Amino acid sequence: MTPKEREHLQKLDELILNASSEELKKIQEIDHQTQMEGLSFYDVYMDSSSLISQNVTNHLEKF
């Protein structure tokens, strides 16, 4: 595992550990949906993080 992957895994751990009970229910629903699609929650989290970063970067470049 690369240092960057470890960093992302730590952020995901913190997200889950610091989540409210309502947030945990949403995370659980997303995890269940990803498993039904044959994906892992971590992979989806990683892809969504990069998409968010790209969208923010693209938006900022316009200014």
Side-chain angles (χ1 to χ4, degrees):
M1 182 178 291
T2 68
K4 193 69 169 172
E5 289 171 326
R6 285 187 181 144
E7 179 184 326
H8 287 297
L9 188 56
Q10 183 178 7
K11 287 182 181 181
L12 180 58
D13 287 345
E14 290 173 5
L15 174 77
I16 293 169
L17 291 172
N18 295 322
S20 68
S21 59
E22 185 175 312
E23 291 168 331
L24 285 173
K25 286 179 186 178
K26 290 178 184 178
I27 291 170
Q28 185 178 23
E29 290 173 16
I30 293 167
D31 183 35
H32 180 74
Q33 289 173 0
T34 58
Q35 288 180 36
M36 295 298 289
E37 295 175 9
L39 303 169
S40 76
F41 181 75
Y42 176 76
D43 289 338
V44 172
Y45 173 79
M46 292 302 299
D47 286 343
S48 67
S49 294
S50 64
L51 289 172
I52 291 168
S53 296
Q54 289 174 358
N55 286 339
V56 170
T57 301
N58 290 338
H59 182 70
L60 290 175
E61 288 175 352
K62 293 178 182 179
F63 290 102

